Amino acid sequence: MIAVVGHRDLAAGTSLAAELRDLLERCATGASVLVRAGAGLPVVVGRAVREAGRKLVVLLPAPAPGAAALPPYDRTAAGELLVLAEHVLLLPYDPADRDASVSADEQLIRSCRQVVALWDGSPSDGRDATAHLVAYARARGIPVTVFWPAGAVREPGAAPSGTNGPRSRACPAPPAPARLG
């Protein structure tokens, strides 16, 4: 399975679906793609996955006492992702709690053979966990393909872009699969 993580604050008009679809077509043959439900990048990923002929797996928060529901801006997106998904994984976490969401992303990464990260190479600023998730995957020996399409821009007020990360066009050979949980 391939986990896709990345910046959710791309500027309006940033086009990445075609390049992402092409990248996914070059990744491990037959591998499913896993995203955590939400607006923005996960929906773009879901559409690209289906266009590439891959299976989509969506991670949703499981109902838990005291946990919030998905925020309104993520609910419509989650509905579309459920329609696109081949499988849905439920994980108990509170989507309103940043630390719980990052922990869910870490579990997502641990369950995969490789990670594709939509990442501009900037360090984590406490709001955006993409740099943390890339480092997390690499520290566990999970291959990471950094994807930052030409012309991609983050919304003003986002973390400083720093230097662009390496722009890999090929997915590495995956290690043995891991299980979620």
Side-chain angles (χ1 to χ4, degrees):
M1 198 159 1
I2 302 165
V4 180
V5 299
H7 298 306
R8 290 181 58 154
D9 59 356
L10 292 179
T14 298
S15 175
L16 60 100
E19 286 187 61
L20 180 59
R21 183 186 61 248
D22 292 345
L23 175 64
L24 291 172
E25 287 172 349
R26 287 189 299 277
C27 290
T29 303
S32 298
V33 178
L34 176 61
V35 295
R36 182 166 52 91
L41 177 63
V43 173
V44 173
V45 169
R47 292 173 184 166
V49 165
R50 293 312 297 249
E51 288 174 12
R54 298 288 180 125
K55 293 180 181 177
L56 179 66
V57 179
V58 176
L59 180 68
L60 282 174
L70 281 173
Y73 58 86
D74 281 338
R75 289 182 195 149
T76 300
E80 181 175 349
L81 287 166
L82 290 174
V83 170
L84 294 171
E86 181 84 16
H87 299 285
V88 176
L89 298 175
L90 296 175
L91 182 68
Y93 74 94
D94 185 348
D97 180 337
R98 181 190 180 285
D99 291 339
S101 294
V102 170
S103 178
D105 285 335
E106 290 171 350
Q107 284 193 290
L108 177 146
I109 287 168
R110 285 194 310 269
S111 73
C112 292
R113 296 167 57 183
Q114 61 191 99
V115 172
V116 171
L118 178 67
W119 180 43
D120 65 357
S122 63
S124 184
D125 68 351
R127 291 177 306 146
D128 181 351
T130 305
H132 165 76
L133 295 171
V134 167
Y136 184 86
R138 287 177 174 161
R140 281 150 186 78
I142 300 168
V144 177
T145 299
V146 174
F147 169 69
W148 191 250
V153 177
R154 295 178 70 189
E155 288 289 341
S161 62
T163 59
N164 281 347
R167 190 163 176 231
S168 175
R169 302 301 282 161
C171 285
R179 297 264 180 217
L180 184 64

